[in-house]
Amino acid sequence: MPLALLALAVSAFGIGTTEFVMMGLLPNVADDLGTSVPTAGYLVSAYALGVVFGAPLLTALGARIPRKRMLILLMAVFTVGNLASALAPNFGLLVAGRVLAGLPHGAFFGVGSVVAARLVGEGRQARAVSMMFLGLTVANIVGVPAATLLGQHLGWRATFLVVAAIGLVAMAALARLIPELPPEQGGGLGKELRALGGRQVLLGLLTTVFGFAGVFAVYSYLSAMAVEVTGFSETSVTFVLALFGTGMTLGVLAAGPLTDRAPRPTLYGALAGLAAVLVVFDFTVHVKWAAPVTVVLLGAAGSLTSTPLQMLIMNKAKAAPTLAAASNHSAFNLANAGGAWLGGVAIAAGWGWTSPTLVGAALAVVGLAIAVLAGSLDRGEGSRVVAGAHLEHVPQHQDAQTAGHTRAH
């Protein structure tokens, strides 16, 4: 795999760290800025809001910017957003900093996915995209716990200063390792919008919303379940969350080669497995030795869906895949908000702490049904999906320095 993928993974690590670290720092921020923890929770929503609106907006604005420059600009916005968060004198400006930090999230992964696929030959493109996503999962194992610990001991502002420093390192890596790549041939905002409106692309985005909502319906309340139902101490919650991140990493590592071989079957199997694991978790959450094992499986099944979804959406967008790929991350964040809300509704209705597991299973089944419908319509149209088939690439044998003078063919 090209060394340039390392630059994308480092960037993804920084993005994943700042996205999830706020959940562990809410008490610290609330105490420091004189607000309540529920009110501080709006900082999580502020980041998600930035992702949802920033993904299509920034991708559209940068449709004609060379891909390397676009990636560096997006990481610059990310770095400024985290620096603004670290220096925010009050809660309102901290919310603004979180929105700013979230704006480039979806656009970066949209552009980054297309770049990763263009860096390798056909048959390896899903693996290249999964290598970038690996930075997100490692952030959940290493970045988020370390950044949370740092914030608890040195103050939450120190966390965002460190994440801003990671952003600078990522910008340097992108500048050094990513080759010069022009925008996709024939691209442009009009073509990107038409591609985004395609039936298969929309069905893919709906699959993301419902399928991943099943994951977040449970993940949002995983800490509470571990304490209230399984019987773990509050100090053990970080260990449980790290197990989820470990599962995510395993899922991403498996997703790349599986998607390169058979994207739709991989997606079907991942969503079916996710629904099954969520049903099983309704029982194993009561057992101290079985609950952690199921948490790993939950993380693996959830992340196994991400790469085939991204590749299928990119392929169905054909020659204008960037906006569709970026919008998929808006869909991920809608799934985050919707799944958490539905899981909370079930708990508030008095159905118990474990009720989000069955809510999540139902959402995963809906996602599977949409994916199967899309596959059926695709076969009916006489199409055959091959991961990355319509994406240009830079020959794999070139190193980053040589590829810097190469144009995608």
Side-chain angles (χ1 to χ4, degrees):
M1 287 289 175
L3 193 58
L5 294 176
L6 177 62
L8 296 174
V10 170
S11 303
F13 177 83
I15 291 172
T17 299
T18 203
E19 179 179 16
F20 294 109
V21 74
M22 183 55 74
M23 298 173 187
L25 295 178
L26 291 180
N28 307 77
V29 173
D31 288 343
D32 186 47
L33 297 181
T35 189
S36 65
V37 171
T39 299
Y42 290 128
L43 295 167
V44 177
S45 301
Y47 186 91
L49 188 68
V51 178
V52 170
F53 288 100
L57 177 63
L58 295 184
T59 303
L61 290 174
R64 296 191 178 278
I65 298 176
R67 305 294 81 182
K68 176 176 180 176
R69 187 185 308 169
M70 183 64 177
L71 289 171
I72 295 172
L73 287 173
L74 290 170
M75 281 309 298
V77 175
F78 168 83
T79 302
V80 170
N82 280 282
L83 185 60
S85 297
L87 301 177
N90 55 55
F91 184 75
L93 289 177
L94 179 55
V95 169
R98 290 291 288 170
V99 172
L100 182 60
L103 284 174
H105 178 127
F108 184 90
F109 282 107
V111 176
S113 294
V114 175
V115 168
R118 291 172 68 180
L119 289 171
V120 298
E122 291 181 14
R124 297 173 60 85
Q125 294 175 325
R127 269 170 279 197
V129 172
S130 70
M131 289 300 99
M132 179 180 65
F133 286 155
L134 193 62
L136 273 178
T137 64
V138 172
N140 278 277
I141 301 174
V142 179
V144 173
T148 301
L149 190 65
L150 176 69
Q152 290 171 344
H153 286 82
L154 298 180
W156 61 269
R157 296 179 189 276
T159 294
F160 291 108
L161 286 173
V162 169
V163 174
I166 294 174
L168 291 175
V169 171
M171 289 172 63
L174 292 168
R176 177 67 182 87
L177 299 177
I178 298 294
E180 296 290 348
L181 296 172
E184 292 66 48
Q185 289 183 3
L189 180 55
K191 193 166 186 178
E192 293 278 357
L193 289 172
R194 286 193 296 275
L196 183 61
R199 181 168 65 180
Q200 286 292 331
V201 174
L202 293 175
L203 287 172
L205 295 175
L206 277 176
T207 303
T208 297
V209 170
F210 282 96
F212 251 78
V215 177
F216 285 110
V218 173
Y219 180 73
S220 302
Y221 304 98
L222 191 57
S223 298
M225 288 184 198
V227 174
E228 301 293 337
V229 180
T230 313
F232 284 110
S233 65
E234 291 187 0
T235 56
S236 300
V237 167
T238 302
F239 168 71
V240 174
L241 295 178
L243 287 177
F244 183 85
T246 301
M248 288 181 66
T249 302
L250 295 174
V252 167
L253 288 173
L258 288 173
T259 302
D260 277 327
R261 299 183 69 177
R264 286 208 188 273
T266 299
L267 178 59
Y268 298 157
L271 288 169
L274 175 60
V277 169
L278 286 166
V279 171
V280 169
F281 193 41
D282 190 52
F283 299 94
T284 59
V285 69
H286 300 277
V287 184
K288 263 194 172 180
W289 67 266
V293 175
T294 315
V295 167
V296 174
L297 295 175
L298 177 60
S303 65
L304 189 57
T305 66
S306 60
T307 301
L309 273 169
Q310 189 81 345
M311 295 306 300
L312 284 165
I313 287 172
M314 287 163 62
N315 287 335
K316 289 306 173 183
K318 294 185 171 68
T322 310
L323 182 57
S327 297
N328 195 36
H329 289 272
S330 294
F332 278 122
N333 277 267
L334 289 174
N336 189 341
W341 176 69
L342 289 172
V345 167
I347 294 171
W351 295 350
W353 281 110
T354 63
S355 58
T357 60
L358 299 182
V359 171
L363 290 167
V365 169
V366 173
L368 176 60
I370 296 171
V372 171
L373 172 62
S376 177
L377 292 173
D378 201 22
R379 286 193 300 273
E381 294 165 358
S383 301
R384 182 179 179 182
V385 177
V386 179
H390 298 286
L391 299 175
E392 303 169 20
H393 64 275
V394 172
Q396 186 181 352
H397 65 274
Q398 295 175 333
D399 60 26
Q401 188 174 19
T402 303
H405 302 288
T406 301
R407 290 295 180 266
H409 56 81

